[in-house]
C-alpha cells in the first residue's frame, strides 16, 4: 500500500509540472538499487526520488557528488546532507504503544524488521520510550524478523514467537506486511481480538477493514509525503539549493482491535 499509493501521488504531482516519472523497484536489494540508479543515469533523468535500501549510502553520495538532484523518502542516512521527506516514526509507535497502555494492556510486544534502516529503528525507539513512560520497561519485547525472509517464512517465524509467549496481551506491528503476516498467525492460533490480544497495525489496508475486528493502525499521510517529495525534487531540478528535511506527523486511527 505504501509504495503503490505514494508513487501515484508523486506521478500526479510530476505531471502537473510537466515531468514524466520512471519507476523501478529495488526489492530491498542494494545490487538492484545500484543497477536501477545506473540505468536511470544512462537515460539522463533529471533527478531521483529514492526510498533507500540499507547499505546504499555510497550510491546516494555518488549522485550528490555528480550534482544530481536527490530526495529521499521514508528513510534517510544521517551522515548525508540530502533532502528527505519522512514520517515521524518515533511518534508513530510512541502514540500506538501509549494508546495500548492507556487501554490497560501491559504485555505489549512489537514486531519489526531486523534492519538498521532509520525508519525501523525509530519505530522501535518510540515503542521502547512509551513502555518506559508507562513503567512497563520489564515487559519490553521486540520480535525482529529477518528482512530476507519470504512471506511464508515471516509468518512461520512470527507464529513460532507468539507461541512462546503465553501471557502476551497486545501487539504492535512496524509495517503493513508484518501486520498482515501477524493477522494470519493470530487467526491460526485462535486468539480473539481484542478480548485476548489487542492489535495496532501500520499503514491502511482493505484487509484491516474486513478483519472481524477492524484494525487500529498508524496512518502515514502519503499525499503529504508524495506531494512534498515531488515538489522538493522539482525545485532542486529548477535550481533551488535549499536542503529540505520535512517530517510528517502520523495519524493513529483507533478502531475495534484495541
Amino acid at each position: 500500500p505504501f509504495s503503490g499509493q505514494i508513487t501515484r501521488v508523486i506521478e500526479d504531482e510530476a505531471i502537473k509540472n510537466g515531468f514524466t516519472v520512471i519507476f523501478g523497484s529495488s526489492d530491498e536489494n542494494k545490487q538492484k538499487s545500484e543497477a536501477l540508479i545506473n540505468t536511470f543515469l544512462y537515460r539522463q533523468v533529471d533527478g531521483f526520488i529514492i526510498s533507500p535500501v540499507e547499505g546504499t549510502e555510497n550510491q546516494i553520495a555518488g549522485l550528490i557528488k555528480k550534482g544530481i538532484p536527490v530526495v529521499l523518502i521514508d528513510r534517510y542516512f544521517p551522515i548525508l546532507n540530502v533532502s528527505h521527506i519522512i514520517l515521524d516514526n518515533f511518534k508513530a509507535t510512541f502514540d500506538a504503544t501509549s494508546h495500548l497502555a492507556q487501554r490497560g494492556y501491559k504485555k505489549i510486544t512489537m514486531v519489526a524488521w531486523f534492519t538498521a534502516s532509520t525508519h525501523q529503528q525509530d519505530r522501535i525507539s518510540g515503542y521502547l520510550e512509551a513502555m518506559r513512560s508507562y513503567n512497563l520497561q520489564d515487559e519490553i519485547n521486540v520480535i525482529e524478523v529477518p528482512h530476507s525472509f519470504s512471506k511464508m517464512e515471516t509468518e512461520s517465524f512470527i507464529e513460532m514467537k507468539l507461541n512462546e509467549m503465553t501471557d502476551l496481551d497486545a501487539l504492535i506491528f512496524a509495517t503493513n506486511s508484518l501486520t498482515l503476516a501477524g493477522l494470519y498467525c493470530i487467526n491460526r492460533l485462535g486468539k480473539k481480538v481484542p478480548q485476548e490480544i489487542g492489535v495496532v497495525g501500520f499503514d491502511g489496508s482493505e484487509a484491516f477493514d474486513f478483519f472481524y475486528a477492524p484494525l487500529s493502525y498508524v496512518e502515514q499521510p502519503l499525499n503529504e509525503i508524495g506531494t512534498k517529495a515531488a515538489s522538493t525534487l522539482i525545485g532542486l531540478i529548477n535550481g533551488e539549493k535549499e536542503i529540505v528535511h520535512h517530517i510528517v506527523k502520523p495519524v493513529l486511527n483507533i478502531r475495534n482491535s484495541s
Side-chain angles (χ1 to χ4, degrees):
F2 176 86
S3 299
Q5 292 177 45
I6 204 163
T7 49
R8 168 62 69 182
V9 174
I10 289 169
E11 185 176 43
D12 289 347
E13 188 68 17
I15 289 171
K16 287 180 194 172
N17 290 274
F19 287 89
T20 299
V21 181
I22 305 171
F23 297 104
S25 176
S26 64
D27 294 324
E28 297 294 340
N29 182 297
K30 64 182 181 181
Q31 284 77 31
K32 285 187 178 181
S33 171
E34 184 173 26
L36 280 169
I37 288 173
N38 289 336
T39 298
F40 291 158
L41 284 173
Y42 178 75
R43 296 283 182 176
Q44 297 183 318
V45 296
D46 296 298
F48 287 83
I49 295 174
I50 300 176
S51 179
V53 178
E54 183 179 352
T56 56
E57 295 94 328
N58 289 338
Q59 296 174 23
I60 308 302
L63 292 173
I64 297 168
K65 188 175 181 180
K66 288 184 174 77
I68 306 292
V70 180
V71 175
L72 304 184
I73 57 170
D74 191 37
R75 315 137 189 211
Y76 69 104
F77 298 115
I79 63 170
L80 297 178
N81 187 28
V82 60
S83 291
H84 57 254
I85 317 299
I86 60 170
L87 182 73
D88 188 338
N89 289 291
F90 180 93
K91 178 175 172 55
T93 48
F94 182 91
D95 290 352
T97 308
S98 299
H99 159 66
L100 288 170
Q102 289 164 10
R103 289 289 173 94
Y105 295 102
K106 298 186 183 304
K107 297 185 180 297
I108 306 166
T109 288
M110 182 172 187
V111 182
W113 292 114
F114 181 68
T115 172
S117 293
T118 51
H119 69 314
Q120 289 292 284
Q121 291 304 310
D122 287 349
R123 290 173 195 179
I124 292 172
S125 295
Y127 159 78
L128 296 176
E129 184 60 30
M131 291 293 280
R132 296 186 191 106
S133 296
Y134 285 88
N135 295 316
L136 297 174
Q137 56 270 11
D138 293 338
E139 308 298 341
I140 286 172
N141 186 39
V142 180
I143 298 173
E144 292 188 276
V145 182
H147 219 302
S148 58
F149 274 7
S150 66
K151 180 177 179 290
M152 187 176 296
E153 288 172 326
T154 298
E155 289 177 19
S156 296
F157 184 81
I158 294 173
E159 188 168 349
M160 177 189 71
K161 292 294 185 182
L162 297 185
N163 261 324
E164 295 171 356
M165 296 178 289
T166 56
D167 56 353
L168 170 73
D169 66 7
L171 283 166
I172 295 174
F173 293 97
T175 71
N176 180 273
S177 56
L178 288 173
T179 306
L180 294 174
L183 289 181
Y184 282 117
C185 297
I186 289 167
N187 274 343
R188 281 199 292 266
L189 293 172
K191 296 282 189 182
K192 288 184 169 50
V193 178
Q195 294 91 334
E196 296 179 86
I197 186 167
V199 179
V200 177
F202 219 96
D203 290 323
S205 167
E206 287 184 357
F208 294 4
D209 298 333
F210 290 115
F211 191 63
Y212 67 83
L215 234 63
S216 300
Y217 66 95
V218 175
E219 178 184 348
Q220 301 193 64
L222 299 184
N223 282 338
E224 182 179 352
I225 295 172
T227 301
K228 185 66 176 178
S231 64
T232 300
L233 181 62
I234 291 166
L236 292 171
I237 291 170
N238 290 333
E240 294 178 14
K241 302 298 182 185
E242 182 185 1
I243 300 297
V244 175
H245 296 165
H246 186 72
I247 299 175
V248 177
K249 294 301 180 186
V251 177
L252 180 60
N253 291 297
I254 299 170
R255 303 197 294 177
N256 297 3
S257 68
S258 61

